[in-house]
Amino acid sequence: MIASLDVKDKLLTYPGLYNVYPIRNEVSQFGNLDIAANTLESPVLDDQYGRVFSENVYKFGVPYGKSSSMPFYPCGFSGEIVGEMRVPYRRVPVFRVRDISELNNLFADVKKYSPQHEILARGQTSTYSLSRSDEEKHLLFGSIDHVEPSFLASGIRKGYSELFLNCLWESQARILLHDISVDMKDELTSEEFVRFSESTNRLQSGPRFIPFGLGLAQHYGLPSVGLDLTDNLQVALWFASNSIDIDASGCAICKPVQDLGSSRLFFFRCPKNAVYSHEVVKPDCFPECRPDHQNAWFGHVGWGQAKNQMASYLCCVVEVTSEILKMVPPNFEDRLFPVCENDPILNYFWKIRGLSRYEGEAKRALSSVYRRENA
């Protein structure tokens, strides 16, 4: 977690290449500001957020702010607070809402409060915490009994090389677009096919292509350097209240969780250049697929030396209750996970999953694609 660096380390020389935050020795106003140093002596790095401090600031400054004196992070909504989580420079409130109307009001209020950001949601049946030593917790946050949520990308959790995943999904996205174009030529009008071809060429030659490829992979269960998010509360609530059990063959069974005690909705205040909407990024006339049905966004975070970067965008959390789950329509999974016949992207990944030409790490990555067993 915390690692010592040499002042001439490449991570400090080229911070942008390694996702290291450029401002050093940034101490919360609720830390020990008198400890803040202008020089970077004996630097240390928190590789969860790419934050760099001098050893003196790390040991005595409580740089992320003391939990005991820090107010709740303002998100634009005033409601019943039943808990908290800690991320750098924020004490994040956990709300309990009475009903669907109050949940909708929360979502609207948070959006209104931060119009320059994308407000996106993620539903989980459990909260995963970063594993830090008590010493690190105390030095960074001034406490040891707080919850610091973990939103590590699947590629990091499974031990893949970031460069390998970028290359793998970029190449697969190019092959996919080529294969789809063959089928689309017969399905689209000549005018639509020209639009599809031109927008595909623009995408492949632009900066959004790698996030497009990573996002497609992520939405089908394949390891990536980021997380899937949504701007649809129904989608987020479904994922917060259902488990997905995947067997070795890639067949998944969706089951409602019996106990909602650990289920949460996480709301993120995201910089617009760190998240990508599938609806916006995809080429014109692109076939409808799983990401469309899930109102999917991809957060290109968690790479380099800021593995838990998504947590730094967390602005509030909501307990999931049976009352707000009434928002989710019956059999909603039928919409969220189209069958192979109706999802050409799933059909592509499913076909190449077992091809013998893929070996080693590529084979391991492709084996993660899944489809619903009863779909």
Side-chain angles (χ1 to χ4, degrees):
M1 292 286 194
I2 298 294
S4 297
L5 299 177
D6 185 275
V7 291
K8 296 182 179 180
D9 194 291
K10 63 181 180 181
L11 300 181
L12 302 179
T13 306
Y14 308 105
L17 292 178
Y18 298 98
N19 205 12
V20 173
Y21 196 71
I23 299 175
R24 299 159 187 179
N25 281 332
E26 183 173 11
V27 177
S28 166
Q29 62 179 310
F30 302 102
N32 296 329
L33 293 176
D34 55 326
I35 302 296
N38 294 323
T39 59
L40 198 65
E41 298 178 358
S42 303
V44 299
L45 168 74
D46 181 0
D47 67 0
Q48 296 301 318
Y49 305 103
R51 294 284 180 162
V52 177
F53 308 100
S54 66
E55 186 178 30
N56 190 50
V57 169
Y58 167 59
K59 288 187 174 180
F60 304 106
V62 194
Y64 293 157
K66 301 174 185 176
S67 300
S68 59
S69 58
M70 178 179 287
F72 283 109
Y73 184 72
C75 63
F77 177 76
S78 298
E80 181 185 3
I81 297 177
V82 294
E84 65 182 69
M85 295 184 185
R86 281 304 316 271
V87 298
Y89 314 106
R90 298 182 187 181
R91 182 181 173 212
V92 179
V94 179
F95 291 108
R96 178 178 294 152
V97 296
R98 295 184 300 273
D99 50 32
I100 295 172
S101 176
E102 190 174 13
L103 178 60
N104 284 326
N105 289 340
L106 179 148
F107 200 23
D109 288 350
V110 175
K111 288 180 179 179
K112 185 177 180 180
Y113 189 77
S114 300
Q116 302 304 315
H117 294 75
E118 297 290 353
I119 305 301
L120 300 171
R122 178 177 172 86
Q124 295 183 182
T125 57
S126 297
T127 299
Y128 305 99
S129 299
L130 282 184
S131 177
R132 289 192 190 270
S133 69
D134 285 350
E135 180 184 24
E136 276 191 23
K137 291 179 182 179
H138 180 71
L139 293 177
L140 290 171
F141 296 97
S143 65
I144 63 172
D145 56 356
H146 59 271
V147 175
E148 183 183 5
S150 171
F151 298 103
L152 299 181
S154 57
I156 293 175
R157 297 196 310 270
K158 297 177 180 179
Y160 287 95
S161 158
E162 297 171 17
L163 178 60
F164 167 77
L165 290 179
N166 285 343
C167 295
L168 177 63
W169 302 135
E170 179 185 9
S171 64
Q172 288 303 317
R174 292 188 190 279
I175 297 171
L176 168 67
L177 289 175
H178 175 270
D179 288 359
I180 285 178
S181 67
V182 175
D183 298 328
M184 299 290 279
K185 192 169 186 178
D186 295 328
E187 298 176 8
L188 300 176
T189 66
S190 57
E191 181 179 331
E192 289 173 334
F193 186 72
V194 169
R195 287 175 52 207
F196 170 77
S197 300
E198 291 178 346
S199 63
T200 295
N201 290 335
R202 286 195 301 271
L203 175 63
Q204 292 189 82
S205 60
R208 290 180 167 183
F209 188 62
I210 289 180
F212 170 75
L214 289 170
L216 277 184
Q218 178 67 31
H219 300 315
Y220 287 93
L222 299 162
S224 78
V225 188
L227 289 179
D228 37 11
L229 306 163
T230 184
D231 58 10
N232 184 299
L233 289 178
Q234 291 179 328
V235 174
L237 279 169
W238 186 91
F239 279 98
S241 58
N242 286 268
S243 64
I244 304 177
D245 298 324
I246 305 170
D247 64 22
S249 69
C251 292
I253 298 177
C254 303
K255 296 179 180 178
V257 297
Q258 299 302 309
D259 182 2
L260 296 173
S262 300
S263 297
R264 299 288 184 270
L265 290 182
F266 298 92
F267 291 89
F268 300 92
R269 179 177 175 267
C270 304
K272 291 182 180 290
N273 63 354
V275 290
Y276 301 84
S277 166
H278 176 75
E279 176 65 27
V280 172
V281 175
K282 69 179 182 180
D284 294 343
C285 303
F286 194 70
E288 194 171 83
C289 55
R290 185 184 294 177
D292 294 292
H293 290 254
Q294 296 181 3
N295 293 71
W297 288 65
F298 177 70
H300 190 208
V301 296
W303 60 277
Q305 299 301 310
K307 298 179 178 64
N308 200 37
Q309 185 177 350
M310 182 56 73
S312 67
Y313 303 150
L314 187 66
C315 63
C316 67
V317 184
V318 172
E319 284 188 341
V320 175
T321 64
S322 56
E323 184 61 33
I324 62 175
L325 276 182
K326 294 176 182 178
M327 176 185 285
V328 182
N331 303 315
F332 196 47
E333 57 271 20
D334 292 338
R335 172 201 153 175
L336 298 179
F337 301 98
V339 298
C340 270
E341 292 76 12
N342 297 330
D343 186 339
I345 313 306
L346 173 60
N347 192 44
Y348 170 81
F349 283 128
W350 196 257
K351 285 182 176 178
I352 68 171
R353 182 179 188 271
L355 294 182
S356 59
R357 69 170 178 263
Y358 294 105
E359 302 176 344
E361 288 290 82
K363 182 178 181 179
R364 181 165 78 100
L366 287 167
S367 69
S368 298
V369 68
Y370 70 87
R371 64 180 183 182
R372 281 181 58 218
E373 187 176 65
N374 56 340

Coordinates of all heavy atoms in Angstrom, one line a residue, residues 9-51:
D9 N 12.9 8.8 -8.6 CA 12.2 7.7 -9.1 C 11.4 8.1 -10.4 O 10.9 9.3 -10.4 CB 11.2 7.1 -8.1 CG 10.6 5.8 -8.4 OD1 9.8 5.7 -9.4 OD2 11.0 4.8 -7.8
K10 N 11.3 7.2 -11.3 CA 10.5 7.6 -12.6 C 9.1 7.9 -12.3 O 8.4 8.7 -13.1 CB 10.6 6.4 -13.6 CG 10.0 5.1 -13.1 CD 10.2 4.0 -14.1 CE 9.5 2.7 -13.6 NZ 9.7 1.6 -14.6
L11 N 8.5 7.4 -11.2 CA 7.1 7.7 -10.9 C 6.9 9.1 -10.6 O 5.9 9.7 -10.8 CB 6.7 6.8 -9.7 CG 6.7 5.3 -9.9 CD1 6.2 4.6 -8.6 CD2 5.9 4.9 -11.1
L12 N 8.0 9.8 -10.0 CA 7.9 11.2 -9.7 C 8.3 12.0 -10.9 O 7.8 13.2 -11.0 CB 8.8 11.5 -8.5 CG 8.5 10.7 -7.2 CD1 9.5 11.1 -6.1 CD2 7.1 11.0 -6.7
T13 N 9.2 11.5 -11.7 CA 9.6 12.3 -12.9 C 8.6 12.3 -13.9 O 8.4 13.4 -14.6 CB 10.9 11.6 -13.4 OG1 11.9 11.5 -12.4 CG2 11.4 12.4 -14.6
Y14 N 7.8 11.2 -14.1 CA 6.8 11.2 -15.2 C 5.4 10.7 -14.5 O 4.9 9.7 -14.8 CB 7.2 10.2 -16.2 CG 8.6 10.4 -16.8 CD1 9.6 9.6 -16.5 CD2 8.8 11.5 -17.7 CE1 10.9 9.8 -17.0 CE2 10.1 11.7 -18.2 CZ 11.1 10.9 -17.9 OH 12.4 11.1 -18.4
P15 N 4.9 11.6 -13.7 CA 3.6 11.2 -13.0 C 2.5 10.8 -13.9 O 1.7 9.9 -13.6 CB 3.3 12.3 -12.1 CG 4.0 13.5 -12.7 CD 5.3 12.9 -13.3
G16 N 2.3 11.6 -15.0 CA 1.2 11.3 -15.9 C 1.2 10.0 -16.5 O 0.2 9.4 -16.8
L17 N 2.4 9.4 -16.7 CA 2.5 8.1 -17.3 C 2.1 7.0 -16.4 O 1.8 5.9 -16.8 CB 3.9 7.8 -17.8 CG 4.4 8.7 -19.0 CD1 5.9 8.4 -19.3 CD2 3.5 8.5 -20.2
Y18 N 2.2 7.3 -15.1 CA 1.9 6.2 -14.1 C 0.7 6.5 -13.2 O 0.5 5.8 -12.2 CB 3.2 6.0 -13.2 CG 4.4 5.6 -14.1 CD1 5.3 6.5 -14.5 CD2 4.6 4.3 -14.4 CE1 6.4 6.1 -15.2 CE2 5.6 3.9 -15.2 CZ 6.6 4.8 -15.6 OH 7.7 4.4 -16.3
N19 N -0.1 7.5 -13.6 CA -1.3 7.8 -12.9 C -1.0 8.2 -11.4 O -1.6 7.8 -10.5 CB -2.3 6.7 -12.9 CG -3.7 7.2 -12.7 OD1 -4.0 8.4 -12.7 ND2 -4.7 6.3 -12.4
V20 N 0.1 9.0 -11.3 CA 0.5 9.6 -10.0 C -0.1 11.0 -9.9 O 0.1 11.8 -10.8 CB 2.0 9.5 -9.8 CG1 2.4 10.3 -8.5 CG2 2.5 8.1 -9.8
Y21 N -0.7 11.3 -8.8 CA -1.3 12.6 -8.6 C -0.2 13.7 -8.6 O 0.8 13.5 -7.9 CB -2.1 12.7 -7.4 CG -3.1 13.9 -7.3 CD1 -4.2 13.9 -8.1 CD2 -2.8 14.9 -6.4 CE1 -5.1 15.0 -8.0 CE2 -3.7 16.0 -6.3 CZ -4.8 16.0 -7.1 OH -5.7 17.1 -7.1
P22 N -0.3 14.8 -9.4 CA 0.8 15.7 -9.6 C 1.0 16.6 -8.4 O 2.1 17.1 -8.2 CB 0.4 16.5 -10.8 CG -1.1 16.4 -10.8 CD -1.5 15.1 -10.3
I23 N 0.0 16.8 -7.5 CA 0.2 17.6 -6.3 C 0.7 16.8 -5.2 O 0.1 15.7 -4.9 CB -1.1 18.3 -5.9 CG1 -1.6 19.2 -7.1 CG2 -0.9 19.1 -4.6 CD1 -2.9 19.9 -6.8
R24 N 1.8 17.2 -4.6 CA 2.4 16.4 -3.5 C 2.2 17.0 -2.2 O 2.0 18.2 -2.1 CB 3.9 16.2 -3.8 CG 4.1 15.4 -5.1 CD 5.5 15.6 -5.7 NE 5.5 15.0 -7.1 CZ 6.6 15.1 -7.8 NH1 7.7 15.6 -7.4 NH2 6.6 14.5 -9.0
N25 N 2.2 16.2 -1.2 CA 2.0 16.7 0.2 C 0.7 17.4 0.4 O 0.7 18.4 1.2 CB 3.2 17.6 0.6 CG 4.5 16.8 1.0 OD1 4.4 15.7 1.5 ND2 5.6 17.4 0.8
E26 N -0.3 17.0 -0.3 CA -1.6 17.6 -0.1 C -2.2 17.1 1.2 O -2.5 15.9 1.3 CB -2.5 17.3 -1.3 CG -3.9 18.0 -1.1 CD -4.8 17.9 -2.4 OE1 -4.4 17.1 -3.3 OE2 -5.8 18.6 -2.4
V27 N -2.5 17.9 2.2 CA -3.0 17.5 3.5 C -4.4 18.1 3.6 O -4.6 19.3 3.3 CB -2.1 18.0 4.6 CG1 -2.7 17.7 6.0 CG2 -0.7 17.4 4.5
S28 N -5.3 17.3 4.1 CA -6.7 17.8 4.3 C -6.7 18.9 5.3 O -5.9 19.0 6.2 CB -7.5 16.6 4.8 OG -8.8 17.1 5.4
Q29 N -7.7 19.8 5.2 CA -7.8 20.9 6.2 C -8.2 20.3 7.6 O -8.1 21.0 8.6 CB -8.9 21.9 5.8 CG -10.3 21.3 5.7 CD -11.3 22.3 5.3 OE1 -11.4 23.4 5.9 NE2 -12.1 22.0 4.2
F30 N -8.5 19.0 7.6 CA -8.8 18.4 8.9 C -7.7 17.4 9.3 O -7.9 16.6 10.2 CB -10.1 17.6 8.8 CG -11.3 18.5 8.4 CD1 -11.8 18.5 7.1 CD2 -11.9 19.3 9.3 CE1 -12.8 19.3 6.7 CE2 -12.9 20.2 9.0 CZ -13.4 20.2 7.6
G31 N -6.5 17.6 8.7 CA -5.3 17.0 9.1 C -4.5 17.9 9.9 O -4.9 19.0 10.4
N32 N -3.2 17.6 10.1 CA -2.3 18.5 10.8 C -1.6 19.4 9.8 O -0.5 19.1 9.3 CB -1.3 17.7 11.6 CG -1.9 16.9 12.7 OD1 -3.0 17.3 13.3 ND2 -1.4 15.7 13.0
L33 N -2.1 20.6 9.5 CA -1.6 21.4 8.5 C -0.2 22.0 8.8 O 0.5 22.3 7.9 CB -2.6 22.6 8.2 CG -4.0 22.2 7.6 CD1 -4.9 23.4 7.5 CD2 -3.8 21.6 6.2
D34 N 0.1 22.1 10.1 CA 1.4 22.6 10.5 C 2.5 21.7 10.1 O 3.7 22.1 10.2 CB 1.4 23.0 12.0 CG 1.0 21.8 12.8 OD1 0.2 21.0 12.4 OD2 1.6 21.7 13.9
I35 N 2.2 20.4 9.8 CA 3.2 19.4 9.4 C 3.5 19.5 7.9 O 4.5 19.0 7.5 CB 2.7 18.0 9.8 CG1 2.4 18.0 11.3 CG2 3.8 17.0 9.5 CD1 3.6 18.2 12.2
A36 N 2.6 20.1 7.1 CA 2.8 20.1 5.7 C 4.2 20.7 5.3 O 4.6 21.7 5.9 CB 1.7 20.9 5.0
A37 N 4.8 20.0 4.4 CA 6.2 20.4 4.0 C 6.2 20.9 2.5 O 5.4 20.4 1.7 CB 7.1 19.2 4.1
N38 N 7.0 21.8 2.2 CA 7.1 22.3 0.8 C 8.1 21.5 0.0 O 8.2 21.5 -1.2 CB 7.6 23.8 0.8 CG 6.6 24.7 1.4 OD1 5.4 24.5 1.2 ND2 7.0 25.7 2.2
T39 N 8.9 20.7 0.7 CA 9.9 19.8 0.0 C 9.5 18.4 0.1 O 8.7 18.0 1.0 CB 11.3 20.0 0.6 OG1 11.2 19.6 2.0 CG2 11.8 21.4 0.5
L40 N 10.0 17.6 -0.8 CA 9.7 16.2 -0.8 C 10.9 15.3 -0.3 O 11.6 14.8 -1.1 CB 9.3 15.8 -2.2 CG 8.5 14.4 -2.4 CD1 7.1 14.6 -1.7 CD2 8.3 14.1 -3.8
E41 N 11.0 15.3 1.0 CA 12.1 14.5 1.6 C 11.6 13.1 1.9 O 10.6 12.9 2.5 CB 12.6 15.2 2.8 CG 13.2 16.6 2.5 CD 13.7 17.3 3.8 OE1 13.5 16.7 4.9 OE2 14.2 18.4 3.7
S42 N 12.4 12.1 1.5 CA 12.1 10.7 1.8 C 10.6 10.4 1.4 O 9.8 10.1 2.2 CB 12.3 10.4 3.3 OG 13.6 10.7 3.7
P43 N 10.3 10.6 0.1 CA 8.9 10.4 -0.3 C 8.4 9.0 -0.2 O 9.1 8.0 -0.3 CB 9.0 10.8 -1.8 CG 10.4 10.5 -2.2 CD 11.2 10.8 -1.0
V44 N 7.1 9.0 0.1 CA 6.3 7.7 0.1 C 5.1 7.8 -0.8 O 4.6 8.9 -1.1 CB 5.9 7.3 1.5 CG1 7.1 7.1 2.4 CG2 4.9 8.4 2.1
L45 N 4.7 6.7 -1.4 CA 3.6 6.7 -2.3 C 2.5 5.8 -1.8 O 2.7 4.6 -1.4 CB 4.0 6.1 -3.7 CG 3.0 5.8 -4.7 CD1 2.3 7.0 -5.3 CD2 3.5 4.9 -5.8
D46 N 1.2 6.3 -1.8 CA 0.0 5.4 -1.6 C -0.4 5.0 -2.9 O -1.1 5.7 -3.7 CB -1.0 6.2 -0.8 CG -2.3 5.4 -0.5 OD1 -2.3 4.2 -0.9 OD2 -3.2 5.9 0.0
D47 N -0.2 3.7 -3.2 CA -0.5 3.2 -4.6 C -1.9 2.9 -4.8 O -2.3 2.4 -5.9 CB 0.4 2.0 -5.0 CG 0.1 0.8 -4.1 OD1 -0.8 0.8 -3.2 OD2 0.7 -0.3 -4.3
Q48 N -2.8 3.2 -3.8 CA -4.2 3.0 -4.0 C -4.8 4.3 -4.7 O -5.8 4.2 -5.4 CB -4.9 2.8 -2.7 CG -4.5 1.5 -2.0 CD -4.8 0.3 -2.9 OE1 -5.9 0.2 -3.6 NE2 -3.9 -0.7 -2.9
Y49 N -4.1 5.4 -4.5 CA -4.7 6.7 -5.0 C -3.6 7.5 -5.8 O -3.9 8.6 -6.2 CB -5.3 7.5 -3.9 CG -6.3 6.8 -3.1 CD1 -6.1 6.3 -1.9 CD2 -7.6 6.6 -3.6 CE1 -7.0 5.6 -1.1 CE2 -8.6 5.9 -2.9 CZ -8.3 5.4 -1.7 OH -9.2 4.7 -1.0
G50 N -2.4 7.0 -5.9 CA -1.4 7.8 -6.6 C -0.9 9.0 -5.8 O -0.4 10.0 -6.4
R51 N -1.1 9.0 -4.5 CA -0.8 10.2 -3.7 C 0.7 10.1 -3.1 O 1.0 9.0 -2.6 CB -1.8 10.4 -2.5 CG -3.2 10.7 -3.0 CD -3.3 12.1 -3.4 NE -4.6 12.5 -3.9 CZ -5.1 13.7 -4.0 NH1 -4.3 14.7 -3.7 NH2 -6.3 13.9 -4.4

